[in-house]
Amino acid sequence: MQTFGTFLVSLVAASSALAASIPGTRIGTPAGTTSQRTNSVSIPAIRNPNFRAHGPLAQAKAHRKFGKPLPADLERVLSKIWSSKRDSGSVTASPRQQDTEYLCPVQIGSPAQTLPLDFDTGSSDLWVFSTDTPRSEVNGQTVYDASSSSSAKRLSGATWKISYGDGSSSSGIVYLDTVTVGGLTVSRQAVEAAKQVSSSFSRDTSSSGLLGLAFSSINTVSPNQQKTFFDNAMPHLDAPLFTADLKHNADGRYNFGYIDKSAYTGSISYTPVDNSQGFWGFTATVDGTDVTGIADTGTTLIYLPDSIVTSYYSQVSGARYDSSNAGYIFPCGSSMPDFSFNVGGGGGGGGTVTVPGSYVNFAPTDQTGQTCFGGLQSDSSIGISIFGDIALKAAFVVFDGGNKQLGWAAK
Ligand SMILES: O=C(c1ccc(-c2ccco2)nc1O)N(Cc1ccccn1)C1CC1
């Protein structure tokens, strides 16, 4: 963190260094220059084209020059200049195929190439379909072409490979390039170009890749692990956080660096994050039972322990576990109970997130529309509880990387 004193010193040093770099400007007596009068020289005084006039800074410089303390109001003005960072970003998250995934436009390279990416708080690789992806695996997706970006630099020798819990996978090579999300720019961001994608990615024609927002500790680039977009941006943000405001069948929004007070109701309940597995891990309480899981925008459904799931569906007549669908199904006409969980329970009672029953009626199992598949399923085959989009779209969620906490609010 630069103190004001060092700032002034660096300002003076810079201006003299700068003067030295402007052609025709010299510091000190130029060697070998003589004139008619003995021992006199003429020095050009070049205006510094990069100097930005700034009243308070000029005031401070004068006070410093004569060793005078800065008046309180001047101190306040200057500390504000130096304490407030200036970056933030805001991007629309558009739902695809009945909220199965949410895609956000991301600018990569110079000139900018805009790709729709799936923002995934459950993984930490920014990977894209690219001109390196076999034509047979590209099915209408917009691809990244590093060769037409003047700011792209191949990260020599680097490779990546990731496999997701749903059985999908991708792998490839790495470039560093400029990436902008909602007006927030990171230069030299690792952009992982796919040389192979599995069939479920090839079939998903609307998504050009993923932008990982979990912790950089699980980024798969080798031999030198790379940072996520958020990790690279965090030091420049007004606040070290991003928020997810996903919606049912409507555009939502990711904001970086600030909390939009108009986006939620009531107060935000915070709970500590356990990032030991690289995820946004937290503990919620469901019907008095503590559940430790992760907040994962990249997973569509909610996956919780059997006991909670069976208890929920016991309220719905005709609901049952169906092995051919590998999940709980029920008559589509059922009116589903709301599903609530408490966050930040502690002494203050924390806050309750209520997932409307209509969100749990996720989708028909077939064209007949007779039976429907539940948005709440068992985590027994996964090994980790996941609060996916069905839960996240019922709340305004603060992913606070600076304080390693998750904030949940109603909306
Ligand atoms: O898909 C993943 C997932 C994401 C990232 C990684 C990974 C490996 C190496 C770096 O990241 N591995 C995953 O498996 N889900 C969600 C999920 C959904 C369904 C079943 C299992 N899991 C991780 C967040 C929990």
Side-chain angles (χ1 to χ4, degrees):
M1 169 68 185
Q2 199 176 37
T3 62
F4 185 67
T6 53
F7 162 72
L8 263 192
V9 168
S10 55
L11 184 70
V12 171
S15 52
S16 49
L18 191 73
S21 70
I22 296 175
T25 308
R26 291 183 188 82
I27 301 293
T29 310
T33 311
T34 57
S35 67
Q36 286 69 3
R37 287 162 299 179
T38 57
N39 202 17
S40 67
V41 294
S42 167
I43 300 283
I46 309 286
R47 190 183 70 80
N48 174 354
N50 298 325
F51 178 73
R52 293 284 171 272
H54 190 289
L57 288 181
Q59 288 270 72
K61 198 172 168 187
H63 281 78
R64 286 267 184 275
K65 185 171 181 176
F66 296 99
K68 301 294 180 198
L70 301 184
D73 54 351
L74 185 54
E75 275 284 10
R76 264 195 304 280
V77 167
L78 293 166
S79 64
K80 191 161 171 38
I81 292 167
W82 284 101
S83 63
S84 73
K85 301 171 185 170
R86 61 198 175 292
D87 277 350
S88 66
S90 180
V91 69
T92 302
S94 302
R96 287 282 175 281
Q97 297 122 11
Q98 276 81 37
D99 300 356
T100 304
E101 64 182 15
Y102 293 81
L103 297 175
C104 307
V106 174
Q107 283 71 44
I108 307 177
S110 319
Q113 302 174 40
T114 297
L115 278 69
L117 300 185
D118 181 355
F119 283 24
D120 180 12
T121 60
S123 66
S124 306
D125 286 50
L126 193 172
W127 73 262
V128 291
F129 277 75
S130 74
T131 46
D132 299 298
T133 313
R135 294 303 92 208
S136 60
E137 296 177 5
V138 180
N139 187 11
Q141 291 86 355
T142 304
V143 303
Y144 167 61
D145 179 3
S147 68
S148 60
S149 168
S150 59
S151 44
K153 304 261 180 308
R154 178 78 184 270
L155 189 60
S156 173
T159 59
W160 60 280
K161 179 171 179 48
I162 191 167
S163 55
Y164 298 96
D166 59 2
S168 61
S169 64
S170 51
S171 61
I173 55 177
V174 186
Y175 296 89
L176 297 181
D177 208 344
T178 303
V179 173
T180 298
V181 173
L184 171 65
T185 295
V186 169
S187 54
R188 299 175 55 73
Q189 169 66 43
V191 178
E192 304 171 30
K195 288 183 76 79
Q196 174 272 329
V197 299
S198 63
S199 53
S200 65
F201 287 120
S202 293
R203 283 196 302 270
D204 185 356
T205 57
S206 47
S207 170
S208 289
L210 269 65
L211 187 143
L213 291 169
F215 291 82
S216 300
S217 57
I218 58 170
N219 171 269
T220 71
V221 174
S222 170
N224 304 316
Q225 193 171 55
Q226 297 297 304
K227 287 186 174 183
T228 65
F229 173 82
F230 175 53
D231 251 356
N232 283 323
M234 200 166 14
H236 309 283
L237 294 174
D238 292 336
L241 58 85
F242 65 90
T243 64
D245 180 11
L246 302 181
K247 294 183 188 285
H248 174 54
N249 274 347
D251 282 355
R253 184 160 290 276
Y254 287 95
N255 293 334
F256 290 84
Y258 69 101
I259 291 174
D260 176 356
K261 291 190 175 309
S262 69
Y264 64 91
T265 58
S267 59
I268 301 175
S269 296
Y270 286 94
T271 191
V273 159
D274 166 13
N275 67 343
S276 57
Q277 304 304 308
F279 303 126
W280 291 89
F282 71 103
T283 297
T285 310
V286 180
D287 302 334
T289 307
D290 276 2
V291 177
T292 297
I294 68 169
D296 181 7
T297 58
T299 292
T300 307
L301 308 183
I302 302 173
Y303 296 89
L304 296 180
D306 263 340
S307 56
I308 289 172
V309 177
T310 45
S311 160
Y312 174 82
Y313 286 112
S314 68
Q315 305 169 89
V316 179
S317 63
R320 62 188 174 83
Y321 181 85
D322 178 68
S323 47
S324 59
N325 280 286
Y328 281 85
I329 62 173
F330 44 83
C332 288
S334 312
S335 71
M336 305 302 285
D338 293 349
F339 172 74
S340 297
F341 57 96
N342 189 284
V343 172
T352 298
V353 176
T354 297
V355 179
S358 58
Y359 290 10
V360 184
N361 189 336
F362 178 64
T365 56
D366 59 27
Q367 279 75 7
T368 67
Q370 294 296 308
T371 49
C372 277
F373 193 79
L376 172 62
Q377 296 294 341
S378 167
D379 65 7
S380 50
S381 63
I382 297 180
I384 185 171
S385 295
I386 302 175
F387 292 82
D389 297 335
I390 298 275
L392 297 168
K393 66 190 181 187
F396 176 84
V397 188
V398 181
F399 291 77
D400 185 336
N403 303 299
K404 278 182 48 194
Q405 60 181 4
L406 271 175
W408 298 77
K411 61 188 181 189

